[in-house]
Amino acid sequence: MEDDRGQLTEAQKKARRSRSVAIGLALAALVVLFYVLTLVKFGPAILDRPM
C-alpha cells in the first residue's frame, strides 16, 4: 500500500520535533507537579509511618 501523504519538508520536520519536545516537557512538568503536590498533601506525616 502506497503512502499518499508524501515526504515532509524540513520545516515540517522541525515543527513536528518542536511540538514533540514541548509535549514531553509539559508531561514531565505535570509529573513533577503531581509528585510535589503529593508530598505537600502528606506533609511531615509521610516520614512518620510504621515500617
Side-chain angles (χ1 to χ4, degrees):
M1 188 167 186
E2 290 186 34
D3 190 8
D4 295 336
R5 293 174 282 182
Q7 297 294 320
L8 296 175
T9 66
E10 288 302 316
Q12 289 171 325
K13 288 180 185 178
K14 185 176 180 183
R16 179 184 283 182
R17 177 152 175 80
S18 295
R19 279 192 304 271
S20 296
V21 168
I23 291 170
L25 290 174
L27 182 58
L30 279 174
V31 168
V32 169
L33 178 66
F34 291 152
Y35 181 75
V36 168
L37 288 176
T38 301
L39 289 178
V40 168
K41 180 180 176 183
F42 285 115
I46 200 167
L47 299 175
D48 187 26
R49 61 182 179 163
M51 294 295 244

